[in-house]
Amino acid sequence: MTAPVQLRVALAQVDTRVGDLAGNADLVVGWTRRAADDAAHLVVFPEMTLTGYPPEDLVLRESFARASEHALVDLAARLAAEGLGDTAVVVGYLAHTEGSGPAPVDRVPTDADDVPGDANPRRGAPRNAAALLHGGVVVARYYKRHLPNYGVFDEARYFVPGTELPVVRLHGVDVALTICEDLWVEGGPCGVAGQAGVDLVVSPNASPYERAKDDSRLPLVQRRAAEAHAPVVYCNQVGGQDELVFDGDSLVVGADGGLLARAPQFVEHLLTVDLALDPAAVPERRAGRIGPMTVTRHVVSDAPVAGYEPRPGTVAEPLGDCEEVWRALVLGLRDFIDKNGMPSVVLGMSGGIDSALVAALAVDALGPDRVVGVGLPSKWSSEHSLSDAADSAQRLGMHYSVVPIAPMVKAYEQAVELSGVAAENLQARVRGTLLMGLSNQHGHLLLATSNKSEVAVGYSTLYGDAAGGFAPIKDVLKTLVWDLARWRNAHARERGEVEPIPQDSIDKPPSAELAPGQQDSDSLPSYEELDAVITDYVDRDLGMAELLERGHDPEVVARVLRLVDVAEFKRRQSAPGTKISLKAFGRDRRLPVTNRWRESLPSVREGAAQ
C-alpha cells in the first residue's frame, strides 16, 4: 500500500486595495512569511490579489496590466531573496496576453476561440489570472476559464477566458489551478481536473458577501471536490471595495466532501490545513486536450516532504444572520473610509432609528473620535427627537452638536413661496447643505442615512437627507434596520456594555418630521408589507402576476411598484453603499431612467386563461 503524501496548505484570507500593486505585493510577502513560519508548503491567496478586486476599467489600460505582470515577476524574485523561495505561492494578478489587437467584429468564430459565444472578441486582451511562484520564478500561469457576467460581475466586458489547465507537481502532489467562477460551473475546470488526474485543486476567489451566501458555498465546493476526485482549497478575499464587501469564509473540503477547515468571516486570517493524499487514488494522470481545455503539467519537486505530525484543521462557527450583516456593514464602511484616506465622518442625527443605527455602525467601524453627529432641529422637530439624538451620541461617546435650522428655513420661505412637499423638502435640503458645509470645512465624509425601503420608493430628498459620500444602510430594508438595532443592543448587554441605540428610537413610529404630526404610515403601507414587495420586485425581479401569486395585496403592489418605478432617476444620484442583499441598488440593478414599461394588474381575460 502506498504511503500517503503529506502537504501543509495555508489560505491567506487578506484585505487588498485595488490598484495598489506595491502594497498588495508587500501583503503577499508578509503573509507568506507567516505561512512559512507555520511550516506551510503551499500558500494560496485570493483572486487578483496583486491588483485588488474588482479593478473594473483599470484592466482596460495596458499600462496597468503590464505593471501587474512586472509586479508578479518581481514578487517571485523578492520572495526568494527574502528566504521564502521554498514556499510555493499561488497569487492572483492581471495578465495581458500577447496578440494582434481586437479581432474584427464580423469574424466567424472557430474551434480555436476560447469559449463559443464569448462576449469579448478581443485578442491580446486582459486576463484574470493566477500564478504559482516557487524558487524565485513563475512556474505556471492559469487564466480564468469561466467569466461571470451577472449581478455585480462584468468580467465578459474585460477578460478573455483561458483554455489551459496547468497542473503543478509540488512535493509529489499534483496541484490544479482554478479561479472563483470556475467552481460554479459543472463540467468546468474541476471536471477536467478529475479526468486529468490530480491530487488537489486550489481556487483563489473574490466572492462578494450577501446574506446567506455561505449556505451555498460549502455544498458548491463539495460538488466540485466530488467532480475533481480531489480536495478543494477555496481561498476568498476579505474587505470592502466601494459597494462590495468580501467576507472571507475560506474553506477546505476533502475529496469525500468532508469539511476539513474553515476561516472566520470578515477578518484577515491565515488558515492552515494538513492534507494526507494518496497518490494511488489517482489511477491515471493525463496531459493534453481534455474536453474544452488543454492540460499542461509542470514539475517543481517529485520528492514528498518528510513526515510530520499533522494538526487538526480548525472550523470557525458561522455567524448568526444579524451579526453577519452587522459585521459586513461595519467592514464595508471602515474600508471605504480608510482606503480612501478620509479622517472622519459626519452625519445628521434626528433621533430616529436610521441615524441612530448609522451612528452606531460608524462608531464600531471608526471609533467615537472619528464620528461627528449634528442635530438639526426644525420647528416641527419634537422634543423627544432632540433628546433621543443627544442620548444616542452620549451612549456612543461620539462628537455631537446642535444647529437649529428654523431661522434658515424661514429666510428661504421669505424669499420664495413654497408649499406642500416642496416646503417639507426645503427643510431636508437646508440640513443637507449645512452638513455638506461641515464636511468641506473639517474634511469629514458625510454619511447618508436613508435605508433601502426609503430609497426604493423615493422617500428620501435629493440634495437633502440623500446627500452624502457613502450610504451605510442603503441596502438595508427598514424591517432589518429594526432587527439590527435590537441585535446590537442585545450584543452590548451580553458583553456588559452600554446599549448604543436608545430604546425610544427603536420603539417610536418612524417619521421624517417635516410637517405637524407626520408619520411614515400616512403615505406608505406598513414596512412589513412594503419590504416584502420590495424584496420580490427589486431583488427577485418578479412581475405583477408573480407578485400576486405570492399573496401580496393587489392595491399595495400597484402602489409600491408605481413608487419604485418613478424613483429611478433619484437612485442614480445616490451615494454608494455596502451591498448585503441579492440585488442592491447601484451596480447590481441597472434599469433605464427613461423607461415607459410599467407592470399592470392582470386583466379579467388573463385571469380566466390562467
Side-chain angles (χ1 to χ4, degrees):
M1 181 176 178
T2 306
V5 176
Q6 290 182 284
L7 195 72
R8 177 168 291 172
V9 181
L11 293 75
Q13 179 175 288
V14 296
D15 187 349
T16 59
R17 296 190 184 203
V18 167
D20 187 5
L21 297 176
N24 293 335
D26 290 342
L27 203 66
V28 171
V29 172
W31 284 82
T32 299
R33 182 171 290 110
R34 291 179 58 175
D37 290 343
D38 203 27
H41 308 108
L42 169 66
V43 55
V44 182
F45 286 86
E47 181 176 5
M48 299 193 84
T49 294
L50 276 182
T51 59
Y53 187 90
E56 301 186 79
D57 278 14
L58 278 176
V59 307
L60 302 178
R61 297 185 192 176
E62 187 173 337
S63 60
F64 183 63
R66 296 297 185 201
S68 170
E69 291 184 317
H70 287 307
L72 179 75
V73 173
D74 292 345
L75 174 62
R78 179 181 170 190
L79 287 167
E82 298 196 20
L84 300 169
D86 290 337
T87 303
V89 176
V90 173
V91 61
Y93 71 106
L94 169 65
H96 191 282
T97 57
E98 298 298 333
S100 57
V105 295
D106 59 350
R107 181 181 60 83
V108 177
T110 70
D111 291 340
D113 286 336
D114 291 313
V115 173
D118 174 24
N120 187 336
R122 292 169 296 166
R123 323 309 293 165
R127 303 264 192 170
N128 184 334
L132 189 143
L133 315 179
H134 186 272
V137 299
V138 180
V139 175
R141 302 169 188 259
Y142 172 72
Y143 303 135
K144 189 174 183 177
R145 170 71 177 169
H146 295 283
L147 305 176
N149 205 47
Y150 54 83
V152 300
F153 302 107
D154 295 307
E155 292 203 7
R157 167 183 168 86
Y158 300 118
F159 304 117
V160 168
T163 59
E164 291 187 0
L165 181 70
V167 178
V168 180
R169 178 160 293 179
L170 176 70
H171 302 303
V173 175
D174 283 346
V175 181
L177 305 182
T178 63
I179 299 175
C180 201
E181 187 73 10
D182 294 332
L183 291 182
W184 292 83
V185 178
E186 185 176 358
C190 284
V192 173
Q195 296 178 62
V198 302
D199 301 298
L200 179 65
V201 175
V202 299
S203 176
N205 289 263
S207 176
Y209 167 77
E210 62 187 45
R211 290 177 77 185
K213 190 170 188 177
D214 63 323
D215 295 341
S216 64
R217 283 181 182 144
L218 177 57
L220 168 76
V221 178
Q222 289 171 326
R223 291 195 297 273
R224 296 294 85 81
E227 198 173 26
H229 311 298
V232 174
V233 171
Y234 173 101
C235 182
N236 192 30
Q237 80 174 42
V238 68
Q241 171 59 31
D242 293 348
E243 292 182 298
L244 301 181
V245 64
F246 300 85
D247 61 324
D249 194 34
S250 302
L251 51 91
V252 182
V253 166
D256 61 357
L259 179 61
L260 303 180
R262 192 166 201 167
Q265 293 175 274
F266 302 109
V267 292
E268 290 189 303
H269 185 79
L270 188 73
L271 178 70
T272 58
V273 60
D274 285 318
L275 301 175
L277 305 162
D278 181 8
V282 182
E284 182 183 12
R285 299 176 190 267
R286 301 165 54 195
R289 190 77 175 184
I290 298 178
M293 303 189 76
T294 299
V295 176
T296 60
R297 290 190 176 265
H298 314 260
V299 177
V300 169
S301 55
D302 281 311
V305 298
Y308 61 89
E309 186 65 29
R311 300 182 307 219
T314 59
V315 177
E317 290 295 320
L319 301 174
D321 179 53
C322 281
E323 182 173 7
E324 185 181 80
V325 171
W326 188 271
R327 298 274 295 276
L329 296 173
V330 166
L331 181 57
L333 173 58
R334 178 190 301 132
D335 271 6
F336 189 87
I337 299 301
D338 288 347
K339 289 181 179 181
N340 285 294
M342 298 167 184
S344 52
V345 297
V346 64
L347 71 153
M349 301 280 286
S350 69
I353 185 62
D354 295 324
S355 60
L357 190 80
V358 170
L361 285 166
V363 168
D364 278 5
L366 307 172
D369 287 342
R370 298 176 66 190
V371 182
V372 177
V374 183
L376 299 156
S378 74
K379 65 178 180 179
W380 305 121
S381 298
S382 61
E383 285 299 322
H384 66 75
S385 292
L386 291 172
S387 61
D388 289 342
D391 185 18
S392 176
Q394 184 176 15
R395 288 167 179 265
L396 293 166
M398 56 186 278
H399 303 283
Y400 181 70
S401 61
V402 176
V403 180
I405 67 166
M408 298 168 232
V409 173
K410 185 175 181 180
Y412 273 97
E413 291 173 338
Q414 290 173 341
V416 61
E417 184 177 345
L418 298 174
S419 61
V421 173
E424 293 177 14
N425 287 343
L426 175 60
Q427 299 168 67
R429 292 191 173 110
V430 168
R431 290 180 174 125
T433 299
L434 285 171
L435 289 168
M436 281 304 305
L438 293 170
S439 169
N440 293 157
Q441 181 69 29
H442 301 291
H444 312 307
L445 180 79
L446 175 58
L447 299 181
T449 59
S450 297
N451 60 64
K452 186 173 186 175
S453 305
E454 295 171 345
V455 172
V457 296
Y459 273 50
S460 57
T461 304
L462 278 179
Y463 327 119
D465 58 316
F470 195 75
I473 60 172
K474 177 183 178 179
D475 199 32
V476 181
L477 293 167
K478 186 75 170 189
T479 49
L480 182 55
V481 167
W482 279 307
D483 289 343
L484 290 173
R486 296 186 183 101
W487 173 84
R488 184 62 183 85
N489 278 357
H491 183 66
R493 287 195 302 272
E494 292 169 2
R495 297 160 62 95
E497 299 170 351
V498 174
E499 296 178 21
I501 300 171
Q503 191 62 41
D504 284 347
S505 295
I506 297 173
D507 292 340
K508 65 186 176 184
S511 169
E513 291 194 329
L514 299 176
Q518 186 182 59
Q519 293 188 5
D520 291 5
S521 57
D522 298 338
S523 53
L524 290 175
S526 72
Y527 277 110
E528 287 74 15
E529 290 179 294
L530 176 63
D531 288 355
V533 175
I534 290 171
T535 298
D536 283 344
Y537 184 54
V538 174
D539 291 12
R540 299 190 177 103
D541 280 317
L542 300 185
M544 177 67 77
E546 295 165 303
L547 291 168
L548 298 183
E549 287 173 3
R550 291 178 67 87
H552 296 294
D553 179 88
E555 291 187 7
V556 170
V557 169
R559 184 178 170 196
V560 172
L561 267 56
R562 183 170 59 253
L563 291 171
V564 172
D565 289 345
V566 301
E568 190 63 40
F569 79 100
K570 297 175 71 172
R571 287 190 291 271
R572 285 291 182 93
Q573 302 177 64
S574 62
T578 302
K579 166 185 164 66
I580 62 161
S581 71
L582 178 65
K583 183 167 287 189
F585 290 122
R587 61 184 295 154
D588 235 353
R589 185 177 189 265
R590 289 169 269 186
L591 290 179
V593 172
T594 306
N595 170 24
R596 290 292 298 273
W597 173 256
R598 296 291 182 266
E599 296 289 333
S600 58
L601 291 168
S603 66
V604 175
R605 176 175 292 181
E606 289 171 338
Q610 293 173 356

